[in-house]
């Protein structure tokens, strides 16, 4: 039951130095469904805008009977700082009889830019329904730069007898709350399940703290969403690192109720980590996620050499119906940079202008303005 780990093809996604992969994790809260007699089966579809059209990038798994779903599916998106990447997250209720979107109920959507998510690290917005009416439900998108932690889990013959096991990994936050890091696939009716290798960001897993507590829970999947608890164990990334260089790490999976009721109870099985592998990649995004901000500053040449603003041949020409070349340049650059500036205040410098009331030529003029409407 050996597992081979990450292949060369998997590492190939890091081959381009100009390309950064961003992980997006999605959770929803307070979903309301049209059917009052049953809970929705939510699924989130990620779309990206290109040439004015929305195209589907990926979608999460369907979580049965849940009004507060936390999706384990991770959206991996290419991040380009120099572009405005518009995203749309659509929430659908997909019944158990089909997996298509044509017959599914639309529960709401949220639009934003990838730059907003990256700069804020965690973006929460209400889900808008038809006609942009905001409902009570909301969606939260968390961003993590992708690094690799490759893991697989094996259990012995007497573990999960005739069950459909899956594993959830939670990180314990500083306020003692827990956040879902990863949910494995379900292995149906298997006495000796082997979950697939997966990758998870170290920022997501432990925020770089090797001693941060991690809680792992094993469930027996049920189609009605009421999964049976099998057992749990606590660990840290420091312990997981022991599975590097061909070694294995294992934990006893404990059910506290059985510990109290059964005198001879030892555990509910053994979870084995076959391999842990870390790949470090550094990029411009590391600085953004580390708190670095971009200060957008503008300097405009108002000297007469650029021509009369009343002359259509001048770059300073004030067109009655459309922006001039200066404003076009400001919008093109400012739209990108504004997501990475917390106060949205941009210094604007000008020189060579005749400023009222005395209309003397100014050597330098500084004005703070809010992008993009008050730029002078």
């Amino acid at each position: 039951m050996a597992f081979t780990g990450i292949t060369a093809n998997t590492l190939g996604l890091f081959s381009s130095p100009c390309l950064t992969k961003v992980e997006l994790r999605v959770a929803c809260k307070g979903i309301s469904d049209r059917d009052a007699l049953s809970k929705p089966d939510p699924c989130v579809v990620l779309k990206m805008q290109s040439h004015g059209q929305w195209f589907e990038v990926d979608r999460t798994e369907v979580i049965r009977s849940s009004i507060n779903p936390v999706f384990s599916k991770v959206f991996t998106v290419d991040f380009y700082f120099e572009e405005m990447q518009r995203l749309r997250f659509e929430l659908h209720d997909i019944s158990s009889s089909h997996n298509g979107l044509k017959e599914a109920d639309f529960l709401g959507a949220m639009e934003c830019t990838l730059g907003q998510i990256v700069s804020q690290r965690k973006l929460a917005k209400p889900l808008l329904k038809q006609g942009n009416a905001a409902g009570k439900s909301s969606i939260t998108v968390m961003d993590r730069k992708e690094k690799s932690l490759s893991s697989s889990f094996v259990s012995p013959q007497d573990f999960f007898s005739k069950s459909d096991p899956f594993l959830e990994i939670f990180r314990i936050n500083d306020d003692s709350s827990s956040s879902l890091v990863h949910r494995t696939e379900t292995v149906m009716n298997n006495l000796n399940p082997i979950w697939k290798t997966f990758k998870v960001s170290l920022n997501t897993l432990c925020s770089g703290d090797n001693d941060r507590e991690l809680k792992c829970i094993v469930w027996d999947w049920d189609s009605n969403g009421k999964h049976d608890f099998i057992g749990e164990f606590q660990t840290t990334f420091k312990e997981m690192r022991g599975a590097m260089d061909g070694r294995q790490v294992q934990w006893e999976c404990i059910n506290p109720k059985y510990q109290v009721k059964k005198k001879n109870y030892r555990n509910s099985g053994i979870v084995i980590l076959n391999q842990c592998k870390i790949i470090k990649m550094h990029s411009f995004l590391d600085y953004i996620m580390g708190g670095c901000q971009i200060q957008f500053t503008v300097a405009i040449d108002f000297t007469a050499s650029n021509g009369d603003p009343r002359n259509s041949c001048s770059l300073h020409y004030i067109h009655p119906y459309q922006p001039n070349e200066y404003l076009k340049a400001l919008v093109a650059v400012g739209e990108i940079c504004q997501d990475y500036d917390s106060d949205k205040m941009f210094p604007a410098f000008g020189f060579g202008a005749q400023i009222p009331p005395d209309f003397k030529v100014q050597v330098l003029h500084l004005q703070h303005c809010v992008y993009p409407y008050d730029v002078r």
Side-chain angles (χ1 to χ4, degrees):
M1 299 181 182
F3 199 83
T4 57
I6 299 179
T7 65
N9 289 336
T10 304
L11 301 180
L13 60 87
F14 300 106
S15 60
S16 175
C18 298
L19 177 63
T20 303
K21 297 285 185 178
V22 173
E23 292 180 348
L24 303 180
R25 298 177 180 272
V26 183
C28 298
K29 187 176 181 180
I31 299 177
S32 58
D33 195 17
R34 299 178 184 178
D35 187 358
L37 300 179
S38 63
K39 295 181 180 179
D41 301 327
C43 171
V44 172
V45 177
L46 171 61
K47 294 184 177 180
M48 183 174 290
Q49 191 177 65
S50 177
H51 303 290
Q53 301 293 324
W54 292 105
F55 297 92
E56 180 176 341
V57 176
D58 205 348
R59 64 180 66 178
T60 67
E61 75 278 15
V62 178
I63 298 182
R64 302 299 178 189
S65 304
S66 178
I67 60 173
N68 300 306
V70 178
F71 298 95
S72 63
K73 170 70 177 181
V74 177
F75 294 130
T76 303
V77 182
D78 295 338
F79 172 75
Y80 299 95
F81 167 75
E82 68 276 9
E83 297 180 9
M84 174 172 284
Q85 297 172 268
R86 297 189 181 276
L87 305 178
R88 176 179 172 88
F89 297 85
E90 294 183 354
L91 182 65
H92 298 268
D93 179 11
I94 299 182
S95 65
S96 57
S97 59
H98 59 81
N99 288 322
L101 295 181
K102 292 183 179 180
E103 301 179 10
D105 293 330
F106 175 74
L107 302 180
M110 184 270 284
E111 296 181 11
C112 62
T113 66
L114 184 57
Q116 289 174 322
I117 300 175
V118 168
S119 60
Q120 298 183 35
R121 301 292 295 275
K122 183 178 181 180
L123 181 65
K125 284 188 174 183
L127 284 165
L128 302 180
K129 296 184 178 180
Q130 301 291 353
N132 290 330
K136 296 181 180 180
S137 54
S138 63
I139 184 170
T140 301
V141 183
M142 290 167 286
D143 138 65
R144 296 291 184 269
K145 181 180 179 292
E146 183 176 350
K147 298 177 182 176
S148 294
L149 172 64
S150 174
S151 309
S152 64
F153 297 87
V154 187
S155 55
Q157 291 288 342
D158 60 349
F159 194 25
F160 307 138
S161 177
K162 293 184 179 180
S163 61
D164 307 320
F166 68 92
L167 173 74
E168 291 184 328
I169 302 176
F170 295 86
R171 57 173 281 171
I172 306 303
N173 301 315
D174 294 335
D175 59 359
S176 298
S177 63
S178 60
S179 301
L180 178 64
V181 172
H182 180 75
R183 181 188 295 122
T184 70
E185 76 283 1
T186 301
V187 180
M188 304 299 291
N189 194 24
N190 197 308
L191 299 177
N192 195 23
I194 301 177
W195 291 299
K196 296 178 181 178
T197 297
F198 61 87
K199 292 182 290 184
V200 62
S201 165
L202 291 181
N203 288 330
T204 302
L205 184 68
C206 60
S207 296
D209 181 4
N210 292 350
D211 295 317
R212 181 180 294 273
E213 183 180 353
L214 304 174
K215 185 176 182 179
C216 302
I217 304 177
V218 181
W219 301 91
D220 182 9
W221 179 85
D222 199 327
S223 59
N224 63 8
K226 298 180 179 180
H227 312 303
D228 297 323
F229 175 78
I230 293 179
E232 64 183 17
F233 61 92
Q234 282 74 39
T235 185
T236 62
F237 178 62
K238 186 176 182 179
E239 291 183 356
M240 291 183 172
R241 291 178 65 123
M244 302 178 71
D245 301 325
R247 297 187 296 269
Q248 291 183 340
V249 179
Q250 64 182 34
W251 300 269
E252 289 186 331
C253 195
I254 303 298
N255 189 323
K257 291 184 179 179
Y258 290 168
Q259 276 186 319
V260 175
K261 294 181 179 180
K262 298 183 179 181
K263 294 182 179 180
N264 298 325
Y265 177 79
R266 296 179 59 187
N267 57 61
S268 297
I270 305 295
V271 175
I272 301 174
L273 177 62
N274 272 344
Q275 186 183 67
C276 171
K277 190 170 185 179
I278 306 172
I279 300 176
K280 296 182 179 181
M281 300 292 293
H282 302 283
S283 70
F284 169 77
L285 188 58
D286 288 324
Y287 294 95
I288 296 296
M289 295 181 64
C292 177
Q293 294 197 21
I294 296 176
Q295 295 182 341
F296 179 44
T297 303
V298 179
I300 301 176
D301 179 6
F302 289 101
T303 56
S305 60
N306 279 330
D308 192 326
R310 294 168 295 182
N311 187 342
S312 61
C313 297
S314 170
L315 293 176
H316 289 233
Y317 177 59
I318 303 176
H319 197 284
Y321 305 111
Q322 63 185 25
N324 59 21
E325 296 300 321
Y326 279 97
L327 288 178
K328 289 179 182 179
L330 287 174
V331 171
V333 178
E335 276 188 339
I336 302 299
C337 295
Q338 67 173 340
D339 287 339
Y340 309 98
D341 192 324
S342 59
D343 61 9
K344 301 294 186 291
M345 298 293 291
F346 307 127
F349 294 87
F351 59 93
Q354 293 180 332
I355 305 299
D358 53 9
F359 293 97
K360 292 183 178 180
V361 176
Q362 301 295 313
V363 177
L364 182 64
H365 171 66
L366 171 62
Q367 176 180 355
H368 283 288
C369 48
V370 180
Y371 170 81
Y373 304 105
D374 294 336
V375 175
R376 296 291 185 264

